[in-house]
Amino acid sequence: MRNLLARYTFGRQEGADRLLRFATVGAVTTTLDFVLFTGLFAVGAAPGQANILSYSCGILVSYMLNRSWTFRARHSQVQALKFVLGTLTGLVISTCLVALLARLIPPPLAKILSVPVVFAWNYLVALLWVFRT
């Protein structure tokens, strides 16, 4: 019983640490995404187009950091493809939310409001499908 409890407690702590690392990587890539989005929108890009370009810039950095630091996994082509597919689905979710919300509120605020939804999607896809820990 003690071993089971110790394993469960360790697993919960590791899960919390992993989520914190994922959030840190997400903060870096979200900052890059938001800065690029705001700049592109400021120079006249439509919100949807600006979002596609800005979000896409973070995919490679996100994969490399999450693979090596967050999930401590080895690289594989299948894993990379899964990550890209999951992240591109996150891009579709983000773009739809930004385009819809930008009709009601300023686009930069729409972008900010889309972040928690896409964060949750990307984390669950990475945890349960891409890196399967």
Side-chain angles (χ1 to χ4, degrees):
M1 181 70 162
R2 179 177 271 167
N3 288 341
L4 181 62
L5 183 59
R7 181 188 297 169
Y8 177 71
T9 304
F10 174 76
R12 284 186 27 199
Q13 182 60 45
E14 177 59 29
D17 291 346
R18 184 183 310 119
L19 180 60
L20 182 60
R21 290 189 304 266
F22 190 86
T24 301
V25 171
V28 168
T29 57
T30 298
T31 301
L32 172 65
D33 179 15
F34 186 75
V35 167
L36 290 173
F37 174 83
T38 303
L40 290 166
F41 179 71
V43 297
Q49 293 169 332
N51 190 63
I52 290 170
L53 290 171
S54 66
Y55 190 96
S56 296
C57 288
I59 290 175
L60 179 61
V61 172
S62 180
Y63 172 71
M64 291 176 10
L65 290 175
N66 280 311
R67 177 190 51 79
S68 64
W69 185 51
T70 303
F71 294 97
R72 296 183 174 116
R74 291 186 170 188
H75 169 73
S76 78
Q77 291 179 351
V78 171
Q79 181 186 77
L81 178 61
K82 285 180 170 183
F83 187 85
V84 168
L85 290 173
T87 305
L88 287 177
T89 303
L91 171 60
V92 170
I93 294 167
S94 174
T95 301
C96 289
L97 284 172
V98 169
L100 179 68
L101 292 172
R103 294 174 181 214
L104 306 170
I105 58 177
L109 182 56
K111 178 70 174 171
I112 290 169
L113 292 177
S114 74
V115 170
V117 174
V118 177
F119 174 85
W121 168 264
N122 285 341
Y123 182 69
L124 290 173
V125 166
L127 179 69
L128 301 174
W129 187 51
V130 177
F131 300 108
R132 293 186 82 181
T133 58

